[in-house]
Structures are given as C-alpha cells and as structure tokens.
Amino acid sequence: MENVKFSFPGKVAVVTGSAAGLGRAMAVQFAKAGANVAICDLKEELAKETEKLCQAEGVKAKFYKLNITDEEMVAKVKDEIVADFGTVDILVNNAGVTTAPGKMGPPMSMIDVPEWKRLVGVNLIGTVTVTKAFAPIFKEKKAGKIVNISSQAAYAPAAAMPHYNASKLAIVSYTQSCSVELGKSNVNVNAVCPGFIFTNMYVGAGQELIDRYPQIFGSCKTEEDVVKRLAANTSLGRPQKPEDIAYAVLFLCSDAASEITGNAVIVDSGGIRR
Ligand SMILES: NC(=O)c1ccc[n+]([C@@H]2O[C@H](COP(=O)([O-])OP(=O)(O)OC[C@H]3O[C@@H](n4cnc5c(N)ncnc54)[C@H](O)[C@@H]3O)[C@@H](O)[C@H]2O)c1
C-alpha cells in the first residue's frame, strides 16, 4: 500500500495528539498530500520530530503545545493557528489516553473514580473542548471536515478497560450528534475506529496481557507475538499499521467522501465484522 494518493494542496489540517503513533502518521500523510499541518500535543520533543517530517514534505508545519483538557489553552492555540495559517479546513481529534499502566482490569473493581474522570476527561471531554473551539470556523465558512478517533473498543469492548470502551463509544455518539448540527453548515463529521496497534500508548501492555490472560496469550513471548495473536482473529489475519488508520482519515477528509457523515469507519482488518 505504498501508492495511496490523496491531494489536499494548501488545505490546513489540525491533528491533535500528533507527536507520535497514529497522529504522527496522519500528520505526515496529510503533509505528503500537500496539506499544511498544525501539530498539537503535550509532548514537545516527539512533536518537533513530527514537525520536521511534515516540513520535509515541503509544506508548512508547526508544533503547538496543547493540553486538550485545558479550555483556555485550546482557545489560545486555536487563535494562534488561525493567525499562523489563515484558516482551518480539517480537524482530527486524535489525542487520547488509555488505561494507566498496571490498571488493566479486572473491570470496575480496580478502576477508581478519579481514573474514570482522568480518562473520560481526555478522550471525550477533550474531544468536545477542541471541537467546540474549532467548529465556529467551519460554520462560518460553510465547509470543513472533522474526524474523531474512536476505537474498535467502542463496539468490541475489551474486558480490561471499561472506561476506555465507554469513552470511545461516546465519541461515536458525539460524532453522530455533531454531524447533524454541523451538516447544516456543509461540514462532515465522522469517526475512525482503529484496531489494535502497539504505539507508545500500549508500552508494557503486551506483557500485562500475557500475565493477565494466560489462557489467550500464554504462548506469546513478546509484544510482537501478542499483536500477531490478536491479528490472527481478524478476517484478513494481519495487524494494521498507523498509515492504514491515516488513509481512512484522509479518505474521510477528501472530496470522494463528501456524502459520508455521521459515520464510524472501522479499520481493524475485519476484527469485529460489525
Ligand atoms: N494504538 C491503538 O491500538 C489504538 C486503537 C484504537 C484507538 N486508538 C486511539 O488512537 C489515538 C492515538 O493513539 P496512539 O495509539 O497513537 O497513542 P499515542 O500515545 O502514541 O498517541 C496519543 C497522543 O495523544 C497525546 N495526548 C494525550 N493526552 C493529551 C492531552 N490531554 N492533550 C494533548 N495531547 C494529548 C499524547 O501525548 C500522544 O502523543 C487515541 O485516541 C487512541 O485512543 C489507538
């Protein structure tokens, strides 16, 4: 899949959580497609690497330190982006967190209320906060694309992380609601639900799964084995790469998808076959 081609010349894409992982892949793919990219994340060092990778594609790319749970900071960064780039055409709400290390299941009993608030505060309320800040730009110009990153966990909840599952299903519902309101302003709002990819988010999780679920992962020695074991249950029998998720995001932001809105596209190699 090296020959996937999209074209967004001169468009401005804001990607939250793009310091690394799936968000970095999205930022770089937008840059390869000619879009200028605003890279928003908490992690400066990694985000600066993404910035360089995007700039190497010949587009304008700039890092903005952003905590999506801080409403004032979101408003300030939005103003800075508009001042620097002139406008915004695309918003990808990708920043998210998962279960804190060592907090994976069993469900409910090990996950206390502050942990629920932490996770839902980033994944759901953070997405809401950023969308509220940028939506007026799209409404005014009567154009725009928003993609919210959900998860296969929205539809196939993992036993180990009920708060993550709930936050990601809530993102699908929020996406549908936004699509109704913003559709009147010619704005498409969709979600993408990735399968399982070992990014920084899941450092150490492979071993945790092996230890907690020996009946499933007992034959696994490494994180790579865990990925293969999970992928073995998919229709295509293989894991996804960050770029596979990025391609779905770019498709939804392209003219080819102009009549797709309020949708949740699952990119999991046929894992949950919904
Ligand atoms: N990796 C997977 O298997 C997988 C599967 C389904 C969905 N997802 C979703 O994809 C998205 C990207 O995850 P990833 O796997 O690339 O993980 P990642 O940890 O590499 O990336 C997440 C990024 O979000 C940033 N972030 C976290 N909290 C933030 C905040 N408050 N403000 C700003 N930035 C913040 C982090 O600094 C990080 O760079 C997440 O929403 C995640 O839930 C990932």
Side-chain angles (χ1 to χ4, degrees):
M1 285 277 285
E2 297 303 322
N3 59 350
V4 178
K5 290 265 181 288
F6 291 99
S7 186
F8 296 93
K11 295 284 182 194
V12 179
V14 175
V15 185
T16 68
S18 43
L22 309 187
R24 174 180 284 180
M26 293 166 203
V28 170
Q29 291 302 321
F30 271 122
K32 281 182 187 290
N36 299 313
V37 193
I39 296 147
C40 301
D41 206 293
L42 286 168
K43 293 180 185 156
E44 185 157 355
E45 218 170 298
L46 282 169
K48 287 272 183 190
E49 284 175 29
T50 306
E51 187 187 68
K52 280 207 189 87
L53 290 168
C54 292
Q55 287 168 348
E57 299 297 333
V59 300
K60 177 169 172 170
K62 189 170 173 189
F63 163 62
Y64 298 86
K65 189 163 180 127
L66 177 67
N67 181 349
I68 62 165
T69 67
D70 181 336
E71 200 176 350
E72 264 179 43
M73 195 176 191
V74 169
K76 191 169 153 279
V77 166
K78 184 261 296 173
D79 288 345
E80 284 172 17
I81 291 172
V82 172
D84 290 343
F85 288 85
T87 189
V88 176
D89 302 291
I90 292 162
L91 168 65
V92 186
N93 283 306
N94 165 74
V97 291
T98 188
T99 315
K103 293 260 185 184
M104 273 209 171
M108 312 305 273
S109 55
M110 275 182 70
I111 299 172
D112 51 25
V113 170
E115 168 64 1
W116 271 86
K117 286 186 176 167
R118 177 193 74 89
L119 190 142
V120 174
V122 178
N123 290 4
L124 177 60
I125 311 297
T127 295
V128 171
T129 306
V130 176
T131 305
K132 274 178 75 66
F134 283 87
I137 301 172
F138 300 142
K139 275 186 172 174
E140 198 186 319
K141 61 198 263 182
K142 296 223 175 303
K145 311 280 184 185
I146 300 176
V147 180
N148 299 322
I149 303 304
S150 173
S151 169
Q152 66 173 2
Y155 299 117
M161 37 194 204
H163 50 350
Y164 183 80
N165 304 331
S167 74
K168 291 300 185 180
L169 187 53
I171 283 180
V172 173
S173 171
Y174 180 63
T175 298
Q176 291 162 344
S177 302
C178 285
S179 77
V180 176
E181 181 179 331
L182 294 177
K184 295 176 184 66
S185 305
N186 189 37
V187 179
N188 299 61
V189 190
N190 289 290
V192 168
C193 303
F196 188 69
I197 301 166
F198 263 118
T199 56
N200 291 343
M201 172 172 278
Y202 287 113
V203 168
Q207 194 53 51
E208 213 172 332
L209 286 172
I210 294 168
D211 296 342
R212 277 196 198 282
Y213 301 103
Q215 68 282 19
I216 302 171
F217 299 104
S219 62
C220 300
K221 299 272 176 287
T222 62
E223 295 203 329
E224 208 173 298
D225 294 339
V226 172
V227 172
K228 281 192 190 142
R229 176 72 188 79
L230 288 164
N233 290 333
T234 67
S235 300
L236 294 171
R238 58 183 184 237
Q240 307 89 59
K241 303 178 299 304
E243 286 72 24
D244 296 318
I245 312 307
Y247 296 148
V249 170
L250 267 71
F251 166 68
L252 289 169
C253 295
S254 74
D255 290 344
S258 58
E259 297 315 311
I260 301 176
T261 196
N263 230 298
V265 176
I266 303 169
V267 185
D268 69 345
S269 310
I272 58 181
R273 297 180 282 270
R274 189 166 185 273

